[in-house]
């Protein structure tokens, strides 16, 4: 993602395997972008929300995602999201996210660059917020309750 631009990649959260962190940094070194990759590890809730609010985009190129709650959290701040086209992420990101369809370094770089150079304006940010708001836990609970009543009824 960092090829052909001057963005910084911040990776927040627990990296389970130390070998994976080493792999990330070795790959960044090979690509000549290691000085712009920062692995923070575990962060507080307030740090997480600060990052969502102040980043150029939230990226989740996950191939094994359960639901995608971090995507909704980012979108609730009007933060543009770039996601994998796998698992539940296209449902969560909907029409307002950009998707990685090829995971080669060149394709990821191109997708990120096109998105970050697009017109991410107030309307775009409002659309992201509105899209995220449809995923309300109370609404989901009500739908499950209705389904359970119907099945048991």
């Amino acid at each position: 993602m960092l090829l052909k631009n001057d963005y910084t990649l911040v990776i927040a959260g627990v990296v389970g395997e130390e070998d994976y962190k080493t792999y990330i940094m070795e790959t960044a070194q090979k690509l000549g972008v290691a000085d712009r990759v920062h692995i923070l590890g575990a962060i507080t809730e307030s740090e997480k929300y600060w990052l969502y609010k102040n980043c150029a985009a939230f990226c989740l190129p996950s191939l094994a995602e359960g639901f995608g709650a971090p995507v909704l959290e980012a979108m609730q701040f009007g933060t543009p999201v770039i996601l994998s086209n796998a698992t539940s992420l296209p449902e969560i990101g909907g029409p307002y996210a950009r998707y990685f369809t090829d995971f080669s370094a060149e394709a990821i770089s191109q997708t990120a660059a096109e998105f970050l150079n697009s017109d991410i304006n107030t309307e775009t940010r409002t659309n992201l917020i509105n899209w995220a708001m449809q995923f309300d836990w109370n609404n989901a609970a009500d739908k499950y309750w209705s389904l359970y009543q119907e099945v048991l009824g």
Side-chain angles (χ1 to χ4, degrees), residues 1-152:
M1 282 181 39
L2 300 179
L3 299 176
K4 302 176 189 171
N5 64 58
D6 61 353
Y7 285 100
T8 298
L9 176 63
V10 175
I11 302 172
V14 177
V15 177
E17 302 280 332
E18 194 61 32
D19 289 346
Y20 187 59
K21 182 178 174 181
T22 301
Y23 170 76
I24 291 169
M25 293 311 297
E26 286 175 354
T27 301
Q29 186 69 36
K30 287 177 189 171
L31 294 170
V33 298
D35 61 323
R36 295 187 289 128
V37 175
H38 305 283
I39 301 176
L40 303 182
I43 59 173
T44 66
E45 288 293 304
S46 61
E47 290 169 326
K48 177 176 67 169
Y49 294 129
W50 187 92
L51 288 169
Y52 285 145
K53 185 177 178 183
N54 292 287
C55 66
F58 173 78
C59 301
L60 189 63
S62 176
L63 298 175
E65 191 61 34
F67 174 72
V71 177
L72 291 177
E73 290 175 335
M75 292 175 83
Q76 287 173 346
F77 283 96
T79 300
V81 294
I82 308 172
L83 311 171
S84 160
N85 65 344
T87 70
S88 64
L89 294 176
E91 282 181 73
I92 303 304
Y96 301 105
R98 186 66 55 102
Y99 297 95
F100 295 118
T101 57
D102 177 341
F103 291 90
S104 68
E106 185 59 40
I108 286 176
S109 176
Q110 182 176 343
T111 299
E114 287 172 1
F115 188 49
L116 292 169
N117 292 328
S118 66
D119 186 22
I120 300 171
N121 56 31
T122 303
E123 180 181 357
T124 301
R125 292 180 189 282
T126 300
N127 288 337
L128 286 160
I129 293 167
N130 290 337
W131 178 263
M133 291 304 156
Q134 74 176 313
F135 295 93
D136 176 85
W137 290 114
N138 291 327
N139 185 29
D142 288 344
K143 287 182 180 181
Y144 274 113
W145 181 250
S146 294
L147 177 63
Y148 294 149
Q149 288 179 318
E150 183 180 321
V151 170
L152 296 173

